[in-house]
Amino acid sequence: MDLFIQGIKSDISLELPEVEKFYQEYRDLNTVFIENENKYDDILTNYGTEDLKFALGFLSSIYKNIEKQGYQVINAVFDATERYGEYELSVFYGNRILEKYNETSAEDILIRIETLRRVLSALLNLDDKLFFNEYLIKYTKELENLLSLYPSYIKEIYSHISDWYQFMYFYSLTITGDDEKAFGFLLKSYQIRKHMLEEGMSDIITGNNILYIANIIGLYSQLKDTLLSLAFSPEEYVEEFLKEVKQLKSALDKKPSRKDFFLKGYFRKYYNELLTNIYVLGFHDEHREIIEVFPEIVNKDHLIMVEIDKLFKEIGEKEPEEIRKKVSSLKREIDILFNNISRSKQEQILYLYYNLLIEIEENLENLLREIKTVKEKKFRSSLLFDMLQIKVFLKQDKREEAKDIALNVREKAIIENNRFIIDAVNRILDELN
């Protein structure tokens, strides 16, 4: 039998009882907070007359389109709903489709599982953990029905196996908090997507394989100091990313009308985050080559962060004054860039910028005042700026001041579940004790 089919059946038999058990416990613990279990089915009660007519009219249109085109029209239905961010309405329509197409025929199974996939995606966007858990159980059981159709519909089966692992990745990461288990699901999801690409069941433009690699490298970057590092090597995924970037660029050169999707929105965000992780992990040659292959998709803020890192590495090799001149020039670029990037990106870049200045500036008191002023004006709750103050005090050998801030920062980081800050502060406190 197909190894992917064997694997998913085994994983479902292990995971489904655990998900069902967790769901029941989650409901029992949060009963007091569950105000309306039918909140998505009751959504139309808040609609005015015109909106209600439109919503019901669109539902009739959905049924007609499904009758004509079957399960293959499901994605287009939800794309139309979610184009305006109407994720609650997606869940409502999903429930109506599930009610109507409830037979055991292959077509009804495919309609239901395609619908459940999109409902789960909508619930992720709504950050509704309770209902996500509930529909994950429904999706898993429907996947078992789909597997019974094997070897027919092999493309659909592989696609849903991959997506089931992807949903289990989100479930483990954001609901049960089992990061290493999440990582395992992520790897399985990608391996199936890669197989589909190699076998011609998907293509480089629509397969979104690069996003899967971005998640793998991103999660590995967070877990690389755990036992996971003994069992996983990121090299092959970095090499695969480079290979797929070249394939994507070639495909888009032949279909330039598809470029907009990749140059804007969430794909660009993932792409640049992946570039950052690849650089941080030390794959500098691959990083440079990837930028050369697809320079128009690389964000300016990413390039600035790389430049700051390069200057950091020049400390001790070049004269401080030479580095200061380069930093001054870079600061002008940062000031221009700040009009076009988010506050979180501003915070990250300024953290790196001041982290560099701490190493080369002679007047640390002035620098500390500047850091405090910027924090007060723009980033009052920023733990990164608190980390900068700790670093200045350590540089000045003011150990007690550094320790006081570090203890306070650790407390806040624990509340926010910010492992990056927690680990960094613990290392500092270990040195201070």
Side-chain angles (χ1 to χ4, degrees), residues 1 49 73 102 122-123 153 183 186 210 212 232 253 370 374:
M1 181 185 277
T49 304
V73 79
N102 56 14
L123 291 167
Y153 303 103
F183 192 77
L186 196 53
I210 289 173
Y212 287 77
F232 176 81
D253 285 343
E370 183 178 335
V374 173

Side-chain angles (χ1 to χ4, degrees), residues 351-369:
Y351 170 77
L352 294 173
Y353 168 73
Y354 283 119
N355 196 44
L356 174 61
L357 285 182
I358 291 169
E359 297 298 323
I360 61 175
E361 285 295 330
E362 295 176 354
N363 194 329
L364 290 175
E365 281 300 324
N366 284 344
L367 183 59
L368 181 60
R369 278 194 291 272

Side-chain angles (χ1 to χ4, degrees), residues 42-92:
D42 294 343
I43 188 172
L44 297 188
T45 59
N46 298 319
Y47 279 30
T49 304
E50 290 303 315
D51 287 339
L52 182 62
K53 284 182 182 178
F54 177 81
L56 294 175
F58 189 69
L59 181 59
S60 297
S61 176
I62 289 172
Y63 290 151
K64 288 177 184 176
N65 280 302
I66 294 175
E67 292 300 323
K68 288 180 182 178
Q69 302 178 57
Y71 71 92
Q72 293 178 333
V73 79
I74 295 295
N75 279 322
V77 165
F78 285 93
D79 285 344
T81 305
E82 294 172 12
R83 191 171 295 122
Y84 302 101
E86 295 287 349
Y87 296 107
E88 295 94 343
L89 199 56
S90 284
V91 181
F92 171 80

